[in-house]
Amino acid sequence: MSSENAAGGTGGEVPAEDGAERTVWDVVVVGAGPAGASAAYAAAVAGRRVLLLEKAELPRYKTCGGGIIGPSRDALPPGFELPLRERVHAVTFSLDGRLTRTRRSRNMLFGLINRPEFDQGLVDCAVEAGAELRTGVTVSRVEQHGPTVPDRRTVAVVLSGEEEPVLARAVVGADGSASRIGAHVGVTMDQVDLGLEAEIPVPPSVAEDWAGRVQIDWGPLPGSYGWVFPKGDTLTVGVISARGEGAATKRYLEQFIARLGLSGFEPHLSSGHLTRCRTEDSPLSRGRVLVCGDAAGLLEPWTREGISFALRSGRLAGEWAVRMAEARDAVETRRQALNYAFAVKAGLGVEMGIGRRLYGVFARKPGLLHAALTGFRPAWNVFARFTRGATSMPEIVRSHPVARRALDRLDRSGAADRTG
Ligand SMILES: Cc1cc2nc3c(=O)[nH]c(=O)nc-3n(C[C@H](O)[C@H](O)[C@H](O)COP(=O)(O)OP(=O)(O)OC[C@H]3O[C@@H](n4cnc5c(N)ncnc54)[C@H](O)[C@@H]3O)c2cc1C
């Protein structure tokens, strides 16, 4: 068996039963969304042999608002040109259709993209960095023991309808919120939401009204909200709410669209997708398999913003998969897996912790949040700085004693409500 490849990796070939040699990739990435493309890019720029597997043909649609906040922009590969469809300078806030107020900013707050185009661009970056892409292939499972696995340093990635598994020294699971790799790793979730969206083509007079402006509506169901994200001649209108309230969530979307005066325009696409947030102690790896992005339940619990989490955790997973691919034994593999988990928890984990607390407050008192953002300028300024990427949730809580005390007090009152 060859153990070093020309690129400096540890993959190579293993003999097959028929005497032919079989490729062992350094890193196989499952799923070519933002998380998978970032992981493949990170491992490929490190000079490793990387295979990126995607079940869809690209470009593919993904139910998503396509909001790109500062942390997403900052986590893009160097030189990546954001295919922005809209630059947002104003936000109209409403509370279940009432108390509507628009806040404006001279500086751009965040950008809006179409996912097929954005995701394709990220995959192109990974391929240019040297990753090989296979589309139209569904991974059915991974095996780390048994007859399909030639040795203890190899993982077999089994593809639907193909007899021969793909072999890898390390696997990154980036296969989204219904992840099979996440199930293999044992990822557990504590918040599952259903997002519904309609892509609504509108005439120029309507599109003009939305240019540079989004709407955010705090919804009627606990923890729900709706949005209008304009992208030129199409408005992405969506709502999100806890899973299990499918009919009420659908009704909320219909009412939201009607209130906006958009019922007369036929959506060219309507779709739904679940978002899942991991439990704090959920695993991020098993053996030589790491998970990232939605597959790991890495998502901001309050806004359900997930692109920055996918890009950032994907890059970390790619970097650590490279080290894991080089691991000679189980102890070294475990050490690299723990390092990956530590890196994720120290950054994204802390952000998720604050997001969970904000979600708790928001689910109980959406009116309070609405009043703060529309009636209290410092709160709007913090929101604007956050969306631009000038500050982060942990930084806001650290550096604003008033915000910290308010959150602590609301946390305590929430706990009292729950027990009393
Ligand atoms: C309604 C809604 C609106 C949202 N709006 C925003 C927003 O405005 N901004 C934001 O930041 N986040 C938003 N999110 C969250 C964001 O869409 C996700 O967090 C993000 O797409 C996660 O990226 P990912 O790469 O982990 O997963 P995905 O983008 O889901 O990519 C996973 C990929 O894996 C592939 N795949 C799945 N299974 C297999 C398999 N077995 N074999 C091979 N390939 C497989 C899929 O085809 C897919 O291409 C929204 C989510 C929803 C539901």
Side-chain angles (χ1 to χ4, degrees), residues 30-36 53-56 58 60 62-68 72 115 119 137-140 174-178 180 195-197 227 229 239-240 273-275 292-295 298-299 304-308 310:
V30 184
L53 299 172
E54 167 58 48
K55 74 174 175 188
L58 300 179
R60 61 98 182 84
K62 159 78 176 71
T63 308
C64 182
I68 300 292
S72 298
R115 284 293 300 271
D119 290 18
V137 282
T138 301
V139 171
S140 57
D175 48 339
S177 71
R180 292 182 188 200
L196 298 178
E197 264 186 346
W227 60 89
F229 282 3
V239 301
I240 196 153
H273 199 95
L274 294 178
T275 61
C292 58
D294 274 9
L298 289 162
L299 190 84
R304 287 74 148 194
E305 186 276 324
I307 296 175
S308 82

Side-chain angles (χ1 to χ4, degrees), residues 24 51 58 66 93 102 105 107 110 120 127 130 134 160 162 189 215-216 261 266 314 370-371 404:
V24 182
L51 177 64
L58 300 179
F93 293 103
T102 300
S105 163
N107 299 319
F110 59 98
Q120 177 74 64
V127 170
R134 273 187 74 189
S160 294
E162 289 192 22
M189 306 292 179
Q215 179 151 350
I216 295 178
E266 187 63 27
H370 181 71
R404 193 172 53 241

Side-chain angles (χ1 to χ4, degrees), residues 184-201:
H184 172 82
V185 163
V187 176
T188 53
M189 306 292 179
D190 66 3
Q191 182 186 324
V192 184
D193 296 292
L194 170 66
L196 298 178
E197 264 186 346
E199 302 287 350
I200 307 181

Side-chain angles (χ1 to χ4, degrees), residues 196-249:
L196 298 178
E197 264 186 346
E199 302 287 350
I200 307 181
V202 290
S205 57
V206 177
E208 217 169 274
D209 186 40
W210 286 99
R213 177 173 69 93
V214 299
Q215 179 151 350
I216 295 178
D217 180 71
W218 315 113
L221 306 161
S224 67
Y225 77 97
W227 60 89
V228 182
F229 282 3
K231 290 152 193 180
D233 59 3
T234 301
L235 304 178
T236 303
V237 184
V239 301
I240 196 153
S241 186
R243 182 176 64 170
E245 299 283 347
T249 307

